[in-house]
Each structure stands twice: as structure tokens, then as C-alpha cells.
Amino acid sequence: MSLRLQHILGCTLVGLGGLIYLAFRPTTILMFHVADGMGLMPLIMAWRSWTAAWQPAEFWVYSLPGGLWAAAYILLVYGLLLRQSAMLRITIASSIPMIGVVSELLQGVGLLPGVFDWADLLCYATPLLLLYIYEIIKNKTICHGWIASTVSN
């Protein structure tokens, strides 16, 4: 995938997740207070009124935006670090989605406040797994790095 296409797709995923969030999340969250302070609430309320007839499942409202943003982060960071080593690209591109996965798991065992949700875990883990599969198939860098470190030990 070309760098330009990566950036377009990454920005599209950020925008789509944001539009879902703005349309269906409760207006009591901090983001809406910030938007109000910026004078954006009339525009947001128009968007919410246009989408009011839709009643998406909770997955679409509460889990999917996080997954879209995790995928966008991977695409954008991976593209920005194209000239760096594959291991550095993978490590940095994995960081935010991995934090999401670990946070969900810690919530599941009660070590982090919040409510564990399988859908959230799936949405954070899917783009991460796709990145690893892509690297294994296209570049074999994860396998080569693992084999090299195993052989040298």
C-alpha cells in the first residue's frame, strides 16, 4: 500500500470513528464541553439530528470507534516511520493498540477500573494482529528477528 493511500485511509478511519462518536455518544462527556467552548455545538447538534433516526447497536457506538482509531494510529505511525527499522516501526505502531488490549485485560481481572468488554478487546486487537500478520507475510521481520534472537542465545 502506498504511503499516500495509508495516510488517506488512516485519516478516513479517524474521521469515521469521530463521526460515530459525535453522533451517538452522550453529550455529557468532556469532548462535547470542549466542542461547545469552541463554538462547534450547533454543527454537532445538526449532525446528531441528521443521524437521530438511526439506532446502531452498542458495538457500533462504544467499541468500533476505538478500533477504527487504533487502526488509524497503526497506519499513520507505520507510514511516518517508513525509513526506520521494521522492528522500531512495529513497536511504535503497536504501542497505542497494545495499551488498549492490556487495559481491557486488566479491567477483566479487576486490576484497572472500568468494565471489561470483549468487543473492545476485539476492536483493539484486530488491527494489531493484522499488522503482525502483514509483517510476517510481507517482510518476515518478526520471524527473522525472533529466529535471530533465539539462535544467538
Side-chain angles (χ1 to χ4, degrees):
M1 175 183 310
S2 74
L3 185 57
R4 184 169 199 261
L5 184 57
Q6 259 181 281
H7 287 160
I8 290 170
L9 183 56
C11 290
T12 300
L13 294 175
V14 167
L16 184 57
L19 288 174
I20 293 168
Y21 213 83
L22 291 173
F24 302 109
R25 294 298 292 260
T27 57
T28 55
I29 59 178
L30 178 62
M31 178 189 74
F32 289 99
H33 297 290
V34 172
D36 190 32
M38 296 170 62
L40 297 173
M41 281 310 284
L43 182 62
I44 292 170
M45 293 313 287
W47 170 246
R48 289 175 73 88
S49 134
W50 188 75
T51 59
W54 299 339
Q55 297 296 320
E58 284 190 15
F59 169 81
W60 292 88
V61 176
Y62 294 100
S63 300
L64 185 61
L68 293 173
W69 293 332
Y73 176 81
I74 288 172
L75 284 167
L76 294 169
V77 168
Y78 195 87
L80 289 172
L81 298 173
L82 201 54
R83 298 188 192 279
Q84 304 302 318
S85 73
M87 239 357 134
L88 180 63
R89 278 195 319 269
I90 294 167
T91 302
I92 294 175
S94 297
S95 62
I96 297 297
M98 187 61 76
I99 288 170
V101 167
V102 170
S103 295
E104 281 302 317
L105 294 173
L106 291 175
Q107 287 173 14
V109 296
L111 294 176
L112 192 68
V115 178
F116 172 80
D117 188 330
W118 281 105
D120 288 351
L121 182 61
L122 176 69
C123 285
Y124 293 132
T126 299
L128 201 54
L129 290 173
L130 291 174
L131 171 65
Y132 296 154
I133 291 168
Y134 170 80
E135 279 296 324
I136 289 168
I137 292 171
K138 294 293 183 186
N139 302 316
K140 298 178 180 46
T141 53
I142 293 174
C143 291
H144 288 303
W146 179 78
I147 291 169
S149 67
T150 306
V151 170
S152 66
N153 288 333

